[in-house]
Amino acid sequence: MKIIRTIDEMKSICFSHKSQNKKIGMVPTMGFLHEGHESLIKNARDNNDIVVVSVFVNPSQFGPDEDYDNYPRDLQRDSEICRKLGVDYVFHPDAKEMYPEGYSTFVVPSERMTNILCGVTRPGHFRGVCTILTKLFNIVAPDNAYFGKKDIQQLAIVKRMVKDFNFGINIIGCPIIREEDGLAKSSRNSYLSEKERKSATVLRKSILKGIDIVKEGERKSKAIRDIICETIEAEETARIDYVEILDFDTFDRVEEVSKNTLIAIAVYIGNTRLIDNEIVSI
Amino acid sequence: MKIIRTIDEMKSICFSHKSQNKKIGMVPTMGFLHEGHESLIKNARDNNDIVVVSVFVNPSQFGPDEDYDNYPRDLQRDSEICRKLGVDYVFHPDAKEMYPEGYSTFVVPSERMTNILCGVTRPGHFRGVCTILTKLFNIVAPDNAYFGKKDIQQLAIVKRMVKDFNFGINIIGCPIIREEDGLAKSSRNSYLSEKERKSATVLRKSILKGIDIVKEGERKSKAIRDIICETIEAEETARIDYVEILDFDTFDRVEEVSKNTLIAIAVYIGNTRLIDNEIVSI
């Protein structure tokens, strides 16, 4: 496994593999890899000739008050995980090379898909995500790119972008990987104190309670939303950012759950903002 | 020569040529080809194995009050010109396939480079240009793409985008092609009445007057600008949109001409808006 630190080298390596008709699978990450990433990497490894994992904490997707500087970083550990999983290349470019002086072109994703859920409190976040992905896709030219369903809004927006921009890339969404107690794996979980870590189980728990009443026959979004909110609010360190029930295809709020209904939540546990979701189909 | 009407067919043709290591040269156009385009096509033909000319009147770069519906179109004539010049493929997709229902991702180019010159009166224009080019570049994957220096702001913005997004494409700027009386070739010249056609020479004439006083030793932008404006205003059917003197690298207005100074003008002749420019270096 090789760590590649410059755009030109990564480009020429990928170009050379492509010209030999090798299939390239890419897993774009901000590093601090956990089992969620590992499952993406395994999926990529199983279905491609060459696997590239990018490890890049992308400044353009952090807001001014967000945790860019403190976002956890550990390239050595990440590289070791990638090596063990049979990754061919870790792409770890410098932020100054990715966004040099004078950098000024951005991708603005679907307004309808960004003015809801995480887009509300994180203006510009998905613009940063789409911009860095456009760059990474142009550098690596993957056949397949792997994203976790935990960031379900990101997955939907990226799929839309790839379709709209005619990128020849399959975007593959992979299942959420959870801790034994149900908490979705996230690099940000490392911020949690022991007490907060226990509280954090409320995200999954609250969604399951919502799904329970759906199974019992409830269809009204309001009732489902209420039980989710009550469950979260009962947890001392938890503060709701949003609890939304949407049509997954249109991202419009729905009055009743039906086919492809997305339940998505964001909750602050102490100062750490965590997300979770589930798609329900009746 | 083949006319290709679907994205998938164009993609697979280009992919097949690329996999045989053929160099692809692309000339993106909105059709109604004139000698300006022809010079781009010849340049592409001389320096590539395969030449693709796209003919697509791009709705996303027209403002609501602009001339999208009436923009001149003549595919048969365009195809004939392309055939004679040895073009391999004319790509002529349907607007509905390029912008299907639900289309919602856009490229927003450099603010500094778009809030001046044509960007002032045509908000969203360069966003549309960059968006369609991102799509076309992903479909055709050219090695080289050719643009006229007449649309100098477009050329600069596209170069910036290609650099920022790490497209592996050389953007090649080609000289302005002029009528015998100096008028820069443009598809929009076809809108001009006989009388307006005569007035339209004032664009080139005014810039040359500005350059004359630079040659005589004048350095102050104000003096140069004044003589250009006076010359245009003396022409009955002409109305100034802008006369700007900028640093070509930064797009900042300058007090004095020096190295790489851009003189750029836009003038309404009757209802038709024409542009011209010259880069001056001292």
Side-chain angles (χ1 to χ4, degrees):
Chain A
M1 195 205 68
K2 277 187 79 175
I3 299 176
I4 310 297
R5 289 170 188 274
T6 70
I7 294 171
D8 279 351
E9 194 185 357
M10 191 74 255
K11 259 199 160 170
S12 85
I13 286 170
C14 292
F15 182 83
S16 145
H17 286 301
K18 297 286 279 186
S19 67
Q20 295 170 319
N21 279 318
K22 301 285 190 198
K23 280 231 174 307
I24 299 178
M26 174 170 210
V27 183
T29 83
M30 299 214 299
F32 216 73
L33 305 180
H34 52 67
E35 288 155 64
H37 300 109
E38 288 181 26
S39 85
L40 304 180
I41 295 170
K42 284 175 195 160
N43 202 334
R45 181 68 286 167
D46 287 347
N47 295 289
N48 298 274
D49 302 309
I50 301 293
V51 174
V52 178
V53 175
S54 62
V55 173
F56 181 65
V57 183
N58 173 35
S60 76
Q61 73 190 65
F62 287 80
D65 300 326
E66 289 181 2
D67 53 351
Y68 173 67
D69 287 332
N70 298 320
Y71 194 86
R73 292 164 169 88
D74 190 342
L75 183 65
Q76 209 178 335
R77 192 177 145 278
D78 291 342
S79 307
E80 190 49 31
I81 291 170
C82 287
R83 196 190 54 72
K84 280 190 185 149
L85 293 173
V87 169
D88 298 288
Y89 303 100
V90 168
F91 181 43
H92 182 62
D94 198 283
K96 283 192 193 114
E97 201 196 353
M98 291 299 263
Y99 297 104
E101 212 192 304
Y103 188 97
S104 46
T105 317
F106 294 89
V107 176
V108 175
S110 169
E111 215 181 294
R112 195 176 66 178
M113 295 171 87
T114 52
N115 64 11
I116 197 159
L117 304 178
C118 296
V120 177
T121 49
R122 306 188 73 188
H125 171 69
F126 291 111
R127 171 180 136 132
V129 169
C130 286
T131 300
I132 191 67
L133 287 174
T134 292
K135 289 168 66 64
L136 290 171
F137 289 167
N138 281 341
I139 293 165
V140 174
D143 297 276
N144 301 302
Y146 298 82
F147 293 84
K149 286 185 179 168
K150 202 198 91 191
D151 296 307
I152 192 77
Q153 188 177 14
Q154 170 178 280
L155 176 62
I157 288 169
V158 171
K159 275 192 174 178
R160 181 82 246 174
M161 174 183 81
V162 164
K163 188 180 173 187
D164 283 352
F165 282 179
N166 308 105
F167 277 109
I169 302 172
N170 300 311
I171 300 299
I172 294 152
C174 302
I176 299 177
I177 304 297
R178 300 182 179 281
E179 305 286 354
E180 271 186 28
D181 61 8
L183 177 64
K185 303 256 182 184
S186 163
S187 306
R188 288 194 171 91
N189 293 351
S190 67
Y191 297 157
L192 301 169
S193 70
E194 203 175 325
K195 188 182 165 202
E196 288 170 343
R197 173 63 190 78
K198 278 178 197 153
S199 301
T201 57
V202 77
L203 279 92
R204 178 64 175 161
K205 231 182 285 171
S206 69
I207 290 179
L208 288 179
K209 280 205 181 173
I211 292 173
D212 274 350
I213 65 166
V214 174
K215 282 181 187 157
E216 288 160 13
E218 183 61 72
R219 294 291 173 269
K220 295 275 176 223
S221 298
K222 189 182 174 309
I224 300 158
R225 201 174 171 281
D226 284 350
I227 202 168
I228 293 174
C229 290
E230 280 163 25
T231 309
I232 298 168
E233 281 159 0
E235 189 65 49
E236 193 192 338
T237 60
R239 183 165 58 80
I240 293 171
D241 180 9
Y242 63 74
V243 171
E244 294 279 11
I245 300 178
L246 308 176
D247 180 309
F248 183 52
D249 296 321
T250 64
F251 270 60
D252 290 332
R253 290 190 182 99
V254 291
E255 299 269 305
E256 300 203 349
V257 300
S258 58
K259 205 173 144 281
N260 249 350
T261 302
L262 171 66
I263 303 177
I265 68 174
V267 178
Y268 283 93
I269 303 292
N271 292 319
T272 305
R273 188 173 166 286
L274 301 176
I275 58 176
D276 204 345
N277 73 84
E278 186 81 38
I279 292 172
V280 184
S281 267
I282 290 166
Chain B
M1 196 203 67
K2 279 188 77 175
I3 299 176
I4 309 297
R5 290 172 187 273
T6 70
I7 294 171
D8 279 350
E9 193 185 357
M10 191 74 256
K11 259 200 161 169
S12 86
I13 287 171
C14 291
F15 183 81
S16 144
H17 286 301
K18 296 288 279 188
S19 67
Q20 295 171 319
N21 277 318
K22 302 285 189 198
K23 280 230 174 309
I24 298 178
M26 172 170 211
V27 183
T29 82
M30 299 213 299
F32 216 73
L33 306 180
H34 51 67
E35 288 155 65
H37 299 110
E38 289 182 25
S39 84
L40 304 180
I41 295 170
K42 284 176 195 159
N43 202 333
R45 183 66 285 168
D46 286 348
N47 295 288
N48 299 273
D49 301 309
I50 301 294
V51 175
V52 179
V53 174
S54 61
V55 172
F56 180 66
V57 183
N58 173 36
S60 76
Q61 72 190 65
F62 287 81
D65 300 327
E66 290 182 2
D67 53 352
Y68 173 68
D69 286 332
N70 298 320
Y71 194 89
R73 292 162 169 89
D74 191 340
L75 183 66
Q76 207 177 340
R77 192 177 145 278
D78 291 341
S79 307
E80 190 50 32
I81 291 170
C82 287
R83 196 190 55 72
K84 280 190 185 147
L85 293 174
V87 169
D88 298 288
Y89 304 100
V90 167
F91 181 43
H92 182 63
D94 199 282
K96 282 193 194 115
E97 200 196 352
M98 291 299 262
Y99 298 103
E101 213 194 303
Y103 188 97
S104 45
T105 316
F106 294 90
V107 176
V108 175
S110 169
E111 214 181 295
R112 195 174 66 179
M113 294 169 88
T114 51
N115 64 9
I116 197 161
L117 304 178
C118 296
V120 176
T121 49
R122 306 189 72 188
H125 171 68
F126 290 111
R127 172 180 136 131
V129 169
C130 286
T131 299
I132 191 65
L133 287 174
T134 292
K135 289 168 66 64
L136 290 171
F137 289 167
N138 281 341
I139 293 164
V140 174
D143 297 274
N144 301 301
Y146 298 81
F147 292 85
K149 285 186 178 167
K150 200 198 95 193
D151 295 306
I152 192 78
Q153 187 177 15
Q154 169 178 280
L155 176 62
I157 287 169
V158 171
K159 275 192 174 177
R160 180 82 246 174
M161 175 184 79
V162 164
K163 189 180 171 186
D164 284 352
F165 282 179
N166 308 105
F167 277 110
I169 301 172
N170 300 310
I171 299 298
I172 294 152
C174 301
I176 299 176
I177 305 296
R178 300 181 180 282
E179 305 286 353
E180 270 185 30
D181 62 7
L183 177 65
K185 303 255 182 185
S186 164
S187 305
R188 288 194 171 91
N189 293 351
S190 67
Y191 296 157
L192 301 170
S193 70
E194 202 174 328
K195 188 183 165 203
E196 288 169 345
R197 174 65 191 77
K198 278 179 194 150
S199 300
T201 57
V202 76
L203 279 93
R204 179 64 175 162
K205 230 184 284 173
S206 69
I207 292 180
L208 287 179
K209 279 205 180 173
I211 291 172
D212 274 349
I213 65 167
V214 172
K215 282 183 185 155
E216 288 160 11
E218 183 62 71
R219 293 293 172 266
K220 294 277 176 222
S221 298
K222 191 183 173 308
I224 300 157
R225 202 175 171 281
D226 284 349
I227 202 167
I228 293 174
C229 290
E230 280 163 26
T231 309
I232 298 168
E233 280 158 1
E235 188 65 48
E236 194 193 336
T237 61
R239 183 165 57 81
I240 293 172
D241 180 9
Y242 63 74
V243 171
E244 293 279 10
I245 299 178
L246 309 175
D247 180 309
F248 184 51
D249 297 321
T250 64
F251 270 60
D252 290 332
R253 290 192 181 97
V254 291
E255 300 269 305
E256 300 202 348
V257 301
S258 58
K259 205 172 143 282
N260 249 349
T261 302
L262 171 66
I263 301 176
I265 68 175
V267 178
Y268 283 93
I269 303 292
N271 292 319
T272 305
R273 189 174 166 284
L274 302 175
I275 57 175
D276 204 344
N277 73 84
E278 186 81 40
I279 292 172
V280 185
S281 267
I282 290 165

